[in-house]
Amino acid sequence: MRVETNSTEVAIVHVPHNSQMKPLSSASLSAQPVFSVRRTTNQRGLVIALSLAASLIGSSALAQTANILNPKSDSPDELVKRKAQKKTDLSQKKTDKKIDPFAKFENLRPKGMWLGIPGPADTIDQDAGGVRSALADVGIGYVGWTQNSFANNLLPNAARSTIANQLYSGQNPTFNTVNYMWITYDLSRFGIPDGQIVVAAEQQYWTWKPGGPDRIGIDTISYYQTFFDRKLEFKIGYLPNQNEFAGTLVGGNAGASVFGPSANILYQGGMSNNPAPTPAVNLKFNVDDRLYDRVSFQRSISPDGQFAQLTQNPTGLDWSTPNAGMLLLNEIGYKEKAAVGVPDTWLRAGAGFNNSNYTNLQYPNQPRADENRFYYVAADTQLWQTAVQTSAARGIYGGFSVMYAPPDLNKVSEYYELRLYAKGLLDSRPRDQIAIVGTNTVWSHFAVDAAAAKGNLVHRESKAISATYTAHLAPGVYLNLGFSYIDHPTSITYTPQTGHALNFSASTAVFF
């Protein structure tokens, strides 16, 4: 059979059932019955058209039936809109999960310090009852904590004495408690860049009074703001510059540190601290995000030392104490926070110049008239990051400190420290800290020679090595346990029984 469609011919040959196929010549092909299928082709086209029409009619009928059964059925446009809305809702839910509920308190934390005070998320009360949120709504923030410490020499024949005659912390079981309450007020709500007022109080008690002494008074009264897009930071008030300069706590966290660089040289030179704040104006120039220059014009604490300062001015509200003058502080530093592949690093070097009236240890009988000074260099860097993606600050750190003050005006003339510490070394304990610290304190040779001339046993250096573990037990709760071996724990003079000490220490810090 041959089918013609337009100019094309198709041959269709009828073959009997079970017959063998043989090659067909053109003659034989022409001899076979041939039927034209032009009509058949038209019929097939009609059948296909009718089938498509029936299918469309059937689909329409089914859709109408479904709409009757479900009158709320959405149109295609409405379905698209509904799917888009579901995606938006899911995206919003994911975003809501990522929002930090404590982020709104960040602007209420004390500003302008190197000291790391745990935020509201790391406190025992957090936002219980919505009290912290209610205060934050009117621009008020707070943080308080109590730090309680115990030390005891474990070596036998430690020359136990009465508390009054105790020569160093731990010679007898020694306990102290220090309690703080800080209130902040946010001034940025009034358009003052980063503006903040801080009022803080401090109370302390010591069983060994030279370690303190006991007092209750102010810790801070300050005003803070920034200028020129945070290029300049300004702070004025009664300030504890211990929290602004040098960095004297291993790890830099108020809850996770007990041991650190000896602050004796800094306090001898007149630097203010938490128990002894003094009037000051502080300026910090941020060259960029890392490099800075910090300057302070501060009223010096007593040139006779910390104990004299607290005895003469326990509340801290007096403008000055006898023989105290002005202290000029300057620190240049480089500080970079940990990030993925970027180690946490802090390098700093500073100096202090004090025009107070100091006693000259070389010529102690001469009238007070000498000005004092001190210098320091310190560095801390992250040696290894243990959790780069989740918390870049976790890892192993190393650091050192070197301090110097002239021996004719200061009992402590030199101080050296090496430290190795780890933050969050264990995945199961990401907020714990381990520290090993070695120190060497060098006494003024003028003071040592004077004591030796009186027939005393004297030592020119005091070496120590300490190992501590700080456990973060719960939000706002830290426990610190450690041992310190100290060669010559007393100041300059000693007895055979007080030549060495192995102090066990335990302390707790609770934040609210």
Side-chain angles (χ1 to χ4, degrees), residues 343-460:
D344 190 298
T345 302
W346 187 17
L347 314 175
R348 61 266 191 207
F353 303 93
N354 194 330
N355 68 359
S356 299
N357 294 321
Y358 280 80
T359 298
N360 192 312
L361 299 178
Q362 186 177 7
Y363 306 106
N365 296 324
Q366 289 186 355
R368 294 172 176 259
D370 293 295
E371 298 178 349
N372 200 1
R373 63 193 183 280
F374 61 85
Y375 310 92
Y376 63 87
V377 176
D380 289 86
T381 189
Q382 193 173 16
L383 304 175
W384 180 39
Q385 293 180 319
T386 58
V388 178
Q389 301 298 330
T390 57
S391 179
R394 288 175 55 194
I396 297 177
Y397 293 72
F400 72 89
S401 297
V402 177
M403 300 183 184
Y404 172 82
D408 57 335
L409 300 175
N410 303 273
K411 282 189 175 182
V412 179
S413 178
E414 301 171 36
Y415 177 80
Y416 306 92
E417 174 176 312
L418 287 175
R419 48 189 175 270
L420 182 67
Y421 54 103
K423 298 180 180 180
L425 191 60
L426 304 176
D427 290 338
S428 59
R429 308 291 306 172
R431 295 199 176 197
D432 289 6
Q433 179 172 296
I434 305 170
I436 299 174
V437 180
T439 65
N440 185 28
T441 301
V442 180
W443 302 96
S444 162
H445 63 87
F446 294 114
V448 173
D449 292 343
K454 296 178 181 179
N456 296 308
L457 285 174
V458 297
H459 54 90
R460 300 185 182 276

Side-chain angles (χ1 to χ4, degrees), residues 77-89:
D77 289 343
E78 289 173 337
L79 285 172
V80 171
K81 290 180 181 179
R82 186 179 294 277
K83 288 180 180 179
Q85 183 62 42
K86 285 182 179 180
K87 288 182 179 179
T88 301
D89 292 343

